[in-house]
Amino acid sequence: NFMLTQPPSVSESPGKTVTISCTRSSGSIASNYVQWYQQRPGSFPTTVIYEDYQRPSGVPDRFSGSIDSSSNSASLTISELKTEDEADYYCQSYDATNRVFGGGTKLTVL
Amino acid sequence: QVKLQQWGAGLLKPSETLSLTCTVYGGSFSGYYWNWIRQAPGMGLEWIGEINHSGNTFYNPSLKSRLTISVDTSSNHVSLTLSSVTAADTAIYYCARLNYNYYFDFWGRGTLVTVSS
């Protein structure tokens, strides 16, 4: 089984850009798609990125995803930060028999 | 529109069995994997396991020995059973649909299960 490691927290000012990383412990990050979920307090998660960099309908293009095989990691980048982006963000991937979530990153927009 | 409605007991004593059911309304039931995911208070998301309409299952290895996920296609029900619960199983339990693009696109509202003596 592999793990996905995220920083516990990041913070940035409104209007700026922030990037959240997600590092896979074993196996190639490129071998299975990575998804990103946003979770606001008291609510279930919603998808902001799927299949590494795709955005579901309704997610603004301020949200973007990428993978980097050299660091075996995925990244979620949010540009033009708004206070409404403040939330917990989780990466998620899978292998043949498991689905794995990262530990989550709390984004503070201050 | 797809809706996932969950129900089950919210308060258990240690060593009891957790049982939750998720009913799927709208959309197709077959062709998808139906998942259970939990979140302990103040903690992150933990994948529990999944099942498809044919009853094929995948379980989190850390829970496998206590876990059963079943499906009733006649009523579009997906059920979760977790035996011998402890306080560490206290969490919000979500059912969620895994769509064809590998992400969870519909979620239930979650059921808080508390294990306490």
Side-chain angles (χ1 to χ4, degrees):
Chain A
N1 235 17
F2 66 95
M3 296 172 54
L4 297 172
T5 300
Q6 301 179 232
S9 64
V10 295
S11 63
E12 190 49 270
S13 303
K16 301 291 190 180
T17 297
V18 70
T19 296
I20 300 171
S21 63
C22 171
T23 302
R24 180 165 173 157
S25 62
S26 61
S28 171
I29 192 73
S31 61
N32 307 100
Y33 289 124
V34 176
Q35 282 62 241
W36 290 90
Y37 299 89
Q38 177 192 68
Q39 186 180 32
R40 296 193 173 100
S43 185
F44 56 82
T46 59
T47 308
V48 292
I49 294 289
Y50 69 95
E51 291 184 352
D52 297 339
Y53 60 87
Q54 303 284 354
R55 280 189 311 277
S57 173
V59 175
D61 61 6
R62 302 185 297 105
F63 290 80
S64 61
S66 63
I67 62 168
D68 179 357
S69 295
S70 66
S71 59
N72 213 35
S73 65
S75 294
L76 171 69
T77 298
I78 310 171
S79 61
E80 301 173 24
L81 275 169
K82 302 179 185 298
T83 54
E84 68 204 45
D85 298 330
E86 187 162 292
D88 294 326
Y89 291 86
Y90 295 90
C91 60
Q92 178 260 316
S93 191
Y94 55 94
D95 61 18
T97 57
N98 293 287
R99 304 195 189 276
V100 177
F101 286 97
T105 298
K106 181 175 181 59
L107 169 62
T108 301
V109 181
L110 37 66
Chain B
Q1 180 73 330
V2 176
K3 182 177 178 181
L4 280 61
Q5 189 164 23
Q6 309 176 212
W7 74 87
L11 180 61
L12 297 172
K13 290 181 167 47
S15 80
E16 291 185 335
T17 296
L18 182 159
S19 293
L20 297 174
T21 300
C22 174
T23 302
V24 179
Y25 296 97
S28 172
F29 187 77
S30 60
Y32 294 95
Y33 270 90
W34 302 94
N35 283 250
W36 288 97
I37 294 159
R38 71 181 183 179
Q39 186 170 34
M43 303 295 284
L45 301 169
E46 180 182 24
W47 178 73
I48 297 171
E50 66 185 25
I51 191 168
N52 69 0
H53 71 284
S54 298
N56 298 315
T57 54
F58 294 103
Y59 293 160
N60 184 323
S62 68
L63 299 170
K64 189 173 183 177
S65 64
R66 301 189 290 130
L67 180 62
T68 302
I69 298 176
S70 60
V71 67
D72 180 351
T73 56
S74 66
S75 55
N76 286 6
H77 286 174
V78 181
S79 296
L80 166 71
T81 301
L82 185 66
S83 64
S84 304
V85 297
T86 70
D89 295 310
T90 294
I92 297 173
Y93 287 74
Y94 296 101
C95 60
R97 188 181 84 167
L98 184 74
N99 78 358
Y100 301 126
N101 296 109
Y102 302 99
Y103 69 92
F104 302 109
D105 58 351
F106 290 99
W107 296 67
R109 292 198 169 276
T111 301
L112 175 61
V113 176
T114 302
V115 181
S116 174
S117 55

